[in-house]
Amino acid sequence: MAATPPQVTAEGIEAWECVEASVDTLFSLPVVAVEGYTLVYEDAALRERLHRATGKDITRFFFATQLAFDPALSARVEALLQQTVTSAAQGAFADRLEDRGLTDIQHGGRRRVSVNAGGHASATAFTGSYECDGTAIPIEGLLAVWREDGFTIAGGAHPVGDGGLGVGVEPERYESELLELIGGVA
């Protein structure tokens, strides 16, 4: 079964720039292969403002991944894999944050987030920072994993301060929008 694109239906997604659409084989064993279809969005306007202030491509981002198993797994087997998939997704998200240039990445608190018009997912919070010429720009992120006709993984990260650069970030709005985007993935 080939991975299909995640459906991002959240209001406001049209204001984001889709910077990546990819299908990757995440791993393959003799009896099963796992493929992920990922969409990554960025806030281009914030990226431009932060680039002018720092010379670096710092921004907030959101992603959604739909997993597919070949051959398809039963719901019972998927349920047994929930913790394994969640742990692998957390590691991959931390790697993605590091690839984006964040340092001191930590994950900690968990929370429930609303997904798919009434469902819930367990989400893990992440923190880190961008180091820019002695200035630290603090970042917070959130990663959610849930099952509904397969595994869906969604999350993102955003600045919670601008390190005194005067860029004018809005952490409360960013967090609210990230939660809405995660909730709008099907």
Side-chain angles (χ1 to χ4, degrees):
M1 166 186 273
T4 57
Q7 301 301 308
V8 180
T9 60
E11 191 174 308
I13 191 63
E14 63 279 349
W16 292 68
E17 177 184 6
C18 185
V19 296
E20 180 186 332
S22 62
V23 179
D24 299 301
T25 299
L26 304 175
F27 65 87
S28 185
L29 301 171
V31 295
V32 69
V34 180
E35 192 173 81
Y37 196 123
T38 301
L39 299 173
V40 180
Y41 298 85
E42 290 184 353
D43 180 341
L46 179 61
R47 182 180 60 230
E48 180 59 33
R49 289 195 326 263
L50 285 165
H51 185 79
R52 282 194 306 267
T54 67
K56 299 183 186 261
D57 288 330
I58 300 168
T59 192
R60 62 184 176 138
F61 73 95
F62 162 74
F63 80 94
T65 300
Q66 188 68 46
L67 296 185
F69 294 84
D70 186 22
L73 303 177
S74 69
R76 182 177 175 182
V77 172
E78 279 188 7
L80 292 172
L81 293 175
Q82 178 81 36
Q83 185 55 44
T84 301
V85 170
T86 298
S87 180
Q90 290 169 347
F93 186 63
D95 290 346
R96 182 168 280 246
L97 293 174
E98 188 175 279
D99 291 346
R100 285 180 165 264
L102 273 76
T103 59
D104 194 28
I105 299 164
Q106 307 210 2
H107 67 281
R110 299 182 66 78
R111 63 192 281 187
R112 286 175 55 94
V113 296
S114 296
V115 294
N116 291 336
H120 289 89
S122 178
T124 304
F126 285 77
T127 59
S129 63
Y130 286 106
E131 300 297 327
C132 303
D133 300 323
T135 300
I137 298 175
I139 304 292
E140 289 183 359
L142 198 59
L143 174 76
V145 179
W146 67 96
R147 285 185 322 108
E148 185 176 305
D149 295 327
F151 283 98
T152 303
I153 305 165
H158 57 86
V160 292
D162 67 4
L165 297 172
V167 176
V169 299
E170 302 174 65
E172 293 84 15
R173 179 174 70 92
Y174 297 164
E175 179 180 16
S176 175
E177 289 176 356
L178 178 57
L179 288 168
E180 186 175 315
L181 290 167
I182 291 170
V185 176

